[in-house]
Amino acid sequence: MADTPSEAGLKIVDAFDFDPELRALLRPGELVEGIGGHYHHLPRYFYEVPSHEAARDIRLTPHFGLNEFLLVDVKEAARLRAFPRYVPCAIRLLAFFLERVREAAGAPLHLAVNGGYRSPAHKLSMAATPHMWGTAADLFRVGTVVLRDRASIETYNRVIEDLTDDLYVMPYGHEIGEADDHIHVDLGYVTVVPREISEDRLPAPQEQARYAFEERRRGDRRGWPREGLPEVLPAADSGAIPAPSARK
């Protein structure tokens, strides 16, 4: 595979340094009212996605590409549908958990249009939902099963609930806060500050924009040996792990 942006590391940007139009659309750090009347700060740190090709090529996990979380229609602001595009850094956490859901379901997961990241300017973002943090996904199909009835939605809701307490699934139903034609799954209002970028309290744009490039994380990109590991690690003579006081 040719070298892609995922090889070089995604660019992290501080949304406080965006131009006025972009800041007005993304509202970084703004305190907004979420579910249940609780207030949360909107994301400040975003990955910059330079092109459609980059969105297609960047893999967040083995089975989820970045482009899957960026599928939107005209309900999203025009400026935010044009590249470069921006997605909150917490999107990696969502992809990680969806990969676990995929394993548990034993089938591919298909995200709906507008089912990944939605900005505060999106017409479906009338109230603050985790979609605005990049930590929610709407699934319309699992494998060949289209999620549009109680049996299919509740079946896979149970799969997700049995997998982890970290994910919330919306119950089946036709009222606000329920879903009858998809599965809504989210991690709540999670923001991420990547280790590579400096966090400060300066909300105004700076003369030099604040950004960083994410370190490459996979072992083979860190120079780990490519030869296979031994089947078992050498055992201690006694077969027991020494007590902490005996470790020198």
Side-chain angles (χ1 to χ4, degrees):
M1 180 183 293
D3 193 37
T4 69
S6 60
E7 295 290 330
L10 285 167
K11 183 179 180 179
I12 306 156
V13 291
D14 188 331
F16 282 167
D17 294 329
F18 287 163
D19 63 71
E21 180 189 8
L22 204 50
R23 280 170 58 100
L25 293 170
L26 294 177
R27 298 155 55 189
E30 185 175 321
L31 194 63
V32 295
E33 185 177 359
I35 298 168
H38 302 297
Y39 284 80
H40 311 276
H41 288 281
L42 284 166
R44 171 180 172 178
Y45 300 101
F46 290 76
Y47 289 129
E48 182 177 277
V49 186
S51 66
H52 173 75
E53 291 73 24
R56 180 194 62 204
D57 292 339
I58 293 170
R59 309 299 298 177
L60 298 177
T61 70
H63 295 103
F64 289 95
L66 185 54
N67 61 309
E68 296 177 73
F69 301 94
L70 297 176
L71 297 174
V72 291
D73 57 19
V74 294
K75 295 183 181 69
E76 184 60 274
R79 172 73 186 275
L80 299 178
R81 287 184 275 122
F83 288 95
R85 290 182 62 180
Y86 301 93
V87 61
C89 293
I91 201 75
R92 278 200 185 278
L93 295 177
L94 177 63
F96 172 84
F97 277 94
L98 289 180
E99 189 76 23
R100 307 286 81 76
V101 172
R102 187 185 192 278
E103 293 170 0
L109 308 181
H110 301 270
L111 274 68
V113 173
N114 298 319
Y117 172 59
R118 300 199 296 256
S119 80
H122 194 284
K123 291 181 180 177
L124 294 179
S125 298
M126 293 176 289
T129 75
H131 285 284
M132 294 159 60
W133 277 253
T135 52
D138 292 337
L139 311 176
F140 79 93
R141 184 155 60 94
V142 177
T144 60
V145 178
V146 179
L147 302 165
R148 56 187 177 197
D149 58 69
R150 177 185 294 272
S152 61
I153 291 173
E154 290 189 346
T155 294
Y156 286 107
N157 274 357
R158 178 64 61 86
V159 170
I160 296 169
E161 289 176 330
D162 288 346
L163 174 67
T164 175
D165 291 334
D166 293 312
L167 292 174
Y168 167 82
V169 289
M170 196 173 284
Y172 176 84
H174 313 292
E175 306 296 330
I176 295 175
E178 301 174 334
D180 60 8
D181 62 355
H182 67 278
I183 284 179
H184 169 94
V185 56
D186 73 62
L187 285 162
Y189 300 92
V190 180
T191 56
V192 169
V193 182
R195 69 180 69 237
E196 295 84 4
I197 197 163
S198 176
E199 184 178 17
D200 58 40
R201 296 185 178 274
L202 300 176
Q206 303 299 293
E207 291 185 7
Q208 293 186 338
R210 291 162 284 198
Y211 70 90
F213 284 93
E214 188 174 71
E215 293 176 357
R216 294 172 289 183
R217 300 210 186 316
R218 295 181 182 270
D220 59 356
R221 298 174 190 164
R222 293 188 175 191
W224 291 1
R226 293 182 176 274
E227 61 270 15
L229 295 172
E231 291 187 7
V232 293
L233 295 175
D237 293 341
S238 63
I241 298 175
S245 60
R247 297 174 191 167
K248 301 295 184 181

PDB file of all heavy atoms in Angstrom, residues 27 44 56 72-73 82 101 117 129 154 158 168 198 204 218 226 235 244-245 248:
ATOM      1  N   ARG A  27     -17.975  25.760  17.399  1.00  0.00           N
ATOM      2  CA  ARG A  27     -18.156  26.260  18.772  1.00  0.00           C
ATOM      3  C   ARG A  27     -17.244  25.543  19.780  1.00  0.00           C
ATOM      4  O   ARG A  27     -17.698  25.029  20.802  1.00  0.00           O
ATOM      5  CB  ARG A  27     -19.611  26.115  19.178  1.00  0.00           C
ATOM      6  CG  ARG A  27     -20.550  26.940  18.308  1.00  0.00           C
ATOM      7  CD  ARG A  27     -21.957  26.412  18.240  1.00  0.00           C
ATOM      8  NE  ARG A  27     -22.560  26.240  19.563  1.00  0.00           N
ATOM      9  CZ  ARG A  27     -23.721  25.621  19.756  1.00  0.00           C
ATOM     10  NH1 ARG A  27     -24.378  25.108  18.732  1.00  0.00           N
ATOM     11  NH2 ARG A  27     -24.216  25.508  20.975  1.00  0.00           N
ATOM     12  N   ARG A  44     -12.608  20.545  21.537  1.00  0.00           N
ATOM     13  CA  ARG A  44     -11.677  21.584  21.121  1.00  0.00           C
ATOM     14  C   ARG A  44     -10.629  21.053  20.151  1.00  0.00           C
ATOM     15  O   ARG A  44     -10.156  21.788  19.279  1.00  0.00           O
ATOM     16  CB  ARG A  44     -10.985  22.163  22.362  1.00  0.00           C
ATOM     17  CG  ARG A  44      -9.829  23.102  22.052  1.00  0.00           C
ATOM     18  CD  ARG A  44      -9.206  23.640  23.325  1.00  0.00           C
ATOM     19  NE  ARG A  44      -7.991  24.392  23.044  1.00  0.00           N
ATOM     20  CZ  ARG A  44      -7.255  25.008  23.969  1.00  0.00           C
ATOM     21  NH1 ARG A  44      -7.626  24.964  25.241  1.00  0.00           N
ATOM     22  NH2 ARG A  44      -6.160  25.668  23.636  1.00  0.00           N
ATOM     23  N   ARG A  56     -10.764   8.224   2.903  1.00  0.00           N
ATOM     24  CA  ARG A  56     -10.981   6.853   2.449  1.00  0.00           C
ATOM     25  C   ARG A  56      -9.849   5.929   2.886  1.00  0.00           C
ATOM     26  O   ARG A  56     -10.082   4.774   3.241  1.00  0.00           O
ATOM     27  CB  ARG A  56     -11.093   6.848   0.922  1.00  0.00           C
ATOM     28  CG  ARG A  56     -11.315   5.485   0.294  1.00  0.00           C
ATOM     29  CD  ARG A  56     -11.074   5.562  -1.203  1.00  0.00           C
ATOM     30  NE  ARG A  56      -9.682   5.938  -1.465  1.00  0.00           N
ATOM     31  CZ  ARG A  56      -9.265   6.530  -2.583  1.00  0.00           C
ATOM     32  NH1 ARG A  56     -10.135   6.859  -3.507  1.00  0.00           N
ATOM     33  NH2 ARG A  56      -7.980   6.828  -2.741  1.00  0.00           N
ATOM     34  N   VAL A  72     -22.231  12.547   5.523  1.00  0.00           N
ATOM     35  CA  VAL A  72     -23.298  13.490   5.855  1.00  0.00           C
ATOM     36  C   VAL A  72     -23.979  13.947   4.570  1.00  0.00           C
ATOM     37  O   VAL A  72     -23.454  13.786   3.471  1.00  0.00           O
ATOM     38  CB  VAL A  72     -22.771  14.728   6.614  1.00  0.00           C
ATOM     39  CG1 VAL A  72     -22.306  14.358   8.005  1.00  0.00           C
ATOM     40  CG2 VAL A  72     -21.647  15.406   5.835  1.00  0.00           C
ATOM     41  N   ASP A  73     -25.169  14.519   4.723  1.00  0.00           N
ATOM     42  CA  ASP A  73     -25.876  15.080   3.578  1.00  0.00           C
ATOM     43  C   ASP A  73     -25.991  16.589   3.757  1.00  0.00           C
ATOM     44  O   ASP A  73     -25.243  17.190   4.533  1.00  0.00           O
ATOM     45  CB  ASP A  73     -27.240  14.406   3.392  1.00  0.00           C
ATOM     46  CG  ASP A  73     -28.117  14.522   4.643  1.00  0.00           C
ATOM     47  OD1 ASP A  73     -27.844  15.411   5.491  1.00  0.00           O
ATOM     48  OD2 ASP A  73     -29.064  13.742   4.782  1.00  0.00           O
ATOM     49  N   ALA A  82     -16.920  20.464   3.073  1.00  0.00           N
ATOM     50  CA  ALA A  82     -15.805  20.691   2.162  1.00  0.00           C
ATOM     51  C   ALA A  82     -14.491  20.346   2.855  1.00  0.00           C
ATOM     52  O   ALA A  82     -14.342  20.543   4.059  1.00  0.00           O
ATOM     53  CB  ALA A  82     -15.798  22.152   1.704  1.00  0.00           C
ATOM     54  N   VAL A 101     -17.744  -4.403  19.065  1.00  0.00           N
ATOM     55  CA  VAL A 101     -19.129  -4.774  18.782  1.00  0.00           C
ATOM     56  C   VAL A 101     -19.179  -5.656  17.545  1.00  0.00           C
ATOM     57  O   VAL A 101     -19.920  -6.652  17.502  1.00  0.00           O
ATOM     58  CB  VAL A 101     -20.004  -3.518  18.587  1.00  0.00           C
ATOM     59  CG1 VAL A 101     -21.403  -3.902  18.110  1.00  0.00           C
ATOM     60  CG2 VAL A 101     -20.098  -2.725  19.886  1.00  0.00           C
ATOM     61  N   TYR A 117     -20.116  11.371  13.003  1.00  0.00           N
ATOM     62  CA  TYR A 117     -19.929  12.705  13.565  1.00  0.00           C
ATOM     63  C   TYR A 117     -20.898  13.690  12.925  1.00  0.00           C
ATOM     64  O   TYR A 117     -21.065  13.744  11.710  1.00  0.00           O
ATOM     65  CB  TYR A 117     -18.495  13.189  13.338  1.00  0.00           C
ATOM     66  CG  TYR A 117     -18.307  14.636  13.727  1.00  0.00           C
ATOM     67  CD1 TYR A 117     -18.558  15.056  15.029  1.00  0.00           C
ATOM     68  CD2 TYR A 117     -17.919  15.584  12.795  1.00  0.00           C
ATOM     69  CE1 TYR A 117     -18.418  16.386  15.401  1.00  0.00           C
ATOM     70  CE2 TYR A 117     -17.771  16.921  13.152  1.00  0.00           C
ATOM     71  CZ  TYR A 117     -18.019  17.313  14.455  1.00  0.00           C
ATOM     72  OH  TYR A 117     -17.881  18.636  14.809  1.00  0.00           O
ATOM     73  N   THR A 129     -25.977  16.037  21.529  1.00  0.00           N
ATOM     74  CA  THR A 129     -25.889  14.586  21.620  1.00  0.00           C
ATOM     75  C   THR A 129     -24.434  14.184  21.431  1.00  0.00           C
ATOM     76  O   THR A 129     -23.634  14.962  20.877  1.00  0.00           O
ATOM     77  CB  THR A 129     -26.740  13.891  20.539  1.00  0.00           C
ATOM     78  OG1 THR A 129     -26.068  14.009  19.266  1.00  0.00           O
ATOM     79  CG2 THR A 129     -28.122  14.519  20.442  1.00  0.00           C
ATOM     80  N   GLU A 154     -33.635  -5.000  19.226  1.00  0.00           N
ATOM     81  CA  GLU A 154     -33.441  -5.454  20.603  1.00  0.00           C
ATOM     82  C   GLU A 154     -32.435  -6.594  20.685  1.00  0.00           C
ATOM     83  O   GLU A 154     -31.712  -6.717  21.676  1.00  0.00           O
ATOM     84  CB  GLU A 154     -34.782  -5.855  21.206  1.00  0.00           C
ATOM     85  CG  GLU A 154     -35.687  -4.653  21.461  1.00  0.00           C
ATOM     86  CD  GLU A 154     -36.929  -4.992  22.252  1.00  0.00           C
ATOM     87  OE1 GLU A 154     -37.247  -6.199  22.389  1.00  0.00           O
ATOM     88  OE2 GLU A 154     -37.586  -4.052  22.754  1.00  0.00           O
ATOM     89  N   ARG A 158     -28.991  -6.034  22.880  1.00  0.00           N
ATOM     90  CA  ARG A 158     -28.565  -6.953  23.944  1.00  0.00           C
ATOM     91  C   ARG A 158     -27.120  -7.390  23.743  1.00  0.00           C
ATOM     92  O   ARG A 158     -26.358  -7.506  24.717  1.00  0.00           O
ATOM     93  CB  ARG A 158     -29.500  -8.164  23.979  1.00  0.00           C
ATOM     94  CG  ARG A 158     -29.117  -9.211  25.030  1.00  0.00           C
ATOM     95  CD  ARG A 158     -29.223  -8.669  26.450  1.00  0.00           C
ATOM     96  NE  ARG A 158     -30.572  -8.259  26.757  1.00  0.00           N
ATOM     97  CZ  ARG A 158     -31.502  -9.097  27.219  1.00  0.00           C
ATOM     98  NH1 ARG A 158     -31.221 -10.363  27.404  1.00  0.00           N
ATOM     99  NH2 ARG A 158     -32.704  -8.631  27.498  1.00  0.00           N
ATOM    100  N   TYR A 168     -23.729   2.972  25.649  1.00  0.00           N
ATOM    101  CA  TYR A 168     -25.162   3.150  25.868  1.00  0.00           C
ATOM    102  C   TYR A 168     -25.886   2.872  24.559  1.00  0.00           C
ATOM    103  O   TYR A 168     -25.448   3.318  23.493  1.00  0.00           O
ATOM    104  CB  TYR A 168     -25.456   4.585  26.311  1.00  0.00           C
ATOM    105  CG  TYR A 168     -26.924   4.937  26.255  1.00  0.00           C
ATOM    106  CD1 TYR A 168     -27.792   4.589  27.288  1.00  0.00           C
ATOM    107  CD2 TYR A 168     -27.449   5.612  25.154  1.00  0.00           C
ATOM    108  CE1 TYR A 168     -29.142   4.908  27.225  1.00  0.00           C
ATOM    109  CE2 TYR A 168     -28.801   5.941  25.093  1.00  0.00           C
ATOM    110  CZ  TYR A 168     -29.635   5.573  26.135  1.00  0.00           C
ATOM    111  OH  TYR A 168     -30.968   5.881  26.066  1.00  0.00           O
ATOM    112  N   SER A 198      -0.239  20.602  22.917  1.00  0.00           N
ATOM    113  CA  SER A 198      -0.183  21.318  24.187  1.00  0.00           C
ATOM    114  C   SER A 198      -1.554  21.888  24.516  1.00  0.00           C
ATOM    115  O   SER A 198      -2.179  22.543  23.684  1.00  0.00           O
ATOM    116  CB  SER A 198       0.845  22.455  24.107  1.00  0.00           C
ATOM    117  OG  SER A 198       0.855  23.211  25.297  1.00  0.00           O
ATOM    118  N   ALA A 204      -8.517  32.414  22.309  1.00  0.00           N
ATOM    119  CA  ALA A 204      -8.443  33.246  21.108  1.00  0.00           C
ATOM    120  C   ALA A 204      -7.417  32.681  20.134  1.00  0.00           C
ATOM    121  O   ALA A 204      -6.439  32.045  20.541  1.00  0.00           O
ATOM    122  CB  ALA A 204      -8.065  34.674  21.492  1.00  0.00           C
ATOM    123  N   ARG A 218       1.369   1.953  15.828  1.00  0.00           N
ATOM    124  CA  ARG A 218       1.478   0.505  15.658  1.00  0.00           C
ATOM    125  C   ARG A 218       2.912   0.039  15.832  1.00  0.00           C
ATOM    126  O   ARG A 218       3.860   0.711  15.445  1.00  0.00           O
ATOM    127  CB  ARG A 218       0.941   0.094  14.289  1.00  0.00           C
ATOM    128  CG  ARG A 218      -0.551   0.358  14.146  1.00  0.00           C
ATOM    129  CD  ARG A 218      -1.050  -0.075  12.787  1.00  0.00           C
ATOM    130  NE  ARG A 218      -2.461   0.241  12.657  1.00  0.00           N
ATOM    131  CZ  ARG A 218      -3.440  -0.583  12.996  1.00  0.00           C
ATOM    132  NH1 ARG A 218      -3.153  -1.775  13.492  1.00  0.00           N
ATOM    133  NH2 ARG A 218      -4.701  -0.241  12.839  1.00  0.00           N
ATOM    134  N   ARG A 226      10.318  -7.712  13.277  1.00  0.00           N
ATOM    135  CA  ARG A 226       9.253  -8.319  12.500  1.00  0.00           C
ATOM    136  C   ARG A 226       9.207  -9.838  12.652  1.00  0.00           C
ATOM    137  O   ARG A 226       8.218 -10.462  12.285  1.00  0.00           O
ATOM    138  CB  ARG A 226       9.400  -7.960  11.021  1.00  0.00           C
ATOM    139  CG  ARG A 226       9.180  -6.487  10.750  1.00  0.00           C
ATOM    140  CD  ARG A 226       9.292  -6.166   9.275  1.00  0.00           C
ATOM    141  NE  ARG A 226       8.995  -4.753   9.017  1.00  0.00           N
ATOM    142  CZ  ARG A 226       7.776  -4.274   8.832  1.00  0.00           C
ATOM    143  NH1 ARG A 226       6.738  -5.079   8.884  1.00  0.00           N
ATOM    144  NH2 ARG A 226       7.587  -2.993   8.599  1.00  0.00           N
ATOM    145  N   ALA A 235      10.257 -19.396  31.588  1.00  0.00           N
ATOM    146  CA  ALA A 235       9.686 -19.483  32.929  1.00  0.00           C
ATOM    147  C   ALA A 235      10.776 -19.354  33.977  1.00  0.00           C
ATOM    148  O   ALA A 235      11.926 -19.719  33.752  1.00  0.00           O
ATOM    149  CB  ALA A 235       8.957 -20.809  33.106  1.00  0.00           C
ATOM    150  N   PRO A 244       7.418  -8.923  45.370  1.00  0.00           N
ATOM    151  CA  PRO A 244       8.033  -7.630  45.035  1.00  0.00           C
ATOM    152  C   PRO A 244       9.333  -7.365  45.762  1.00  0.00           C
ATOM    153  O   PRO A 244      10.273  -6.832  45.197  1.00  0.00           O
ATOM    154  CB  PRO A 244       6.946  -6.620  45.422  1.00  0.00           C
ATOM    155  CG  PRO A 244       5.671  -7.377  45.289  1.00  0.00           C
ATOM    156  CD  PRO A 244       6.003  -8.792  45.702  1.00  0.00           C
ATOM    157  N   SER A 245       9.422  -7.747  47.041  1.00  0.00           N
ATOM    158  CA  SER A 245      10.641  -7.486  47.819  1.00  0.00           C
ATOM    159  C   SER A 245      11.807  -8.299  47.322  1.00  0.00           C
ATOM    160  O   SER A 245      12.953  -7.955  47.568  1.00  0.00           O
ATOM    161  CB  SER A 245      10.377  -7.798  49.285  1.00  0.00           C
ATOM    162  OG  SER A 245      10.010  -9.180  49.442  1.00  0.00           O
ATOM    163  N   LYS A 248      15.003  -7.659  42.342  1.00  0.00           N
ATOM    164  CA  LYS A 248      16.117  -6.712  42.396  1.00  0.00           C
ATOM    165  C   LYS A 248      16.619  -6.413  40.988  1.00  0.00           C
ATOM    166  O   LYS A 248      16.550  -7.272  40.129  1.00  0.00           O
ATOM    167  CB  LYS A 248      17.268  -7.250  43.255  1.00  0.00           C
ATOM    168  CG  LYS A 248      16.867  -7.546  44.684  1.00  0.00           C
ATOM    169  CD  LYS A 248      16.476  -6.291  45.421  1.00  0.00           C
ATOM    170  CE  LYS A 248      16.161  -6.589  46.898  1.00  0.00           C
ATOM    171  NZ  LYS A 248      15.755  -5.410  47.622  1.00  0.00           N
TER     172      LYS A 248
END
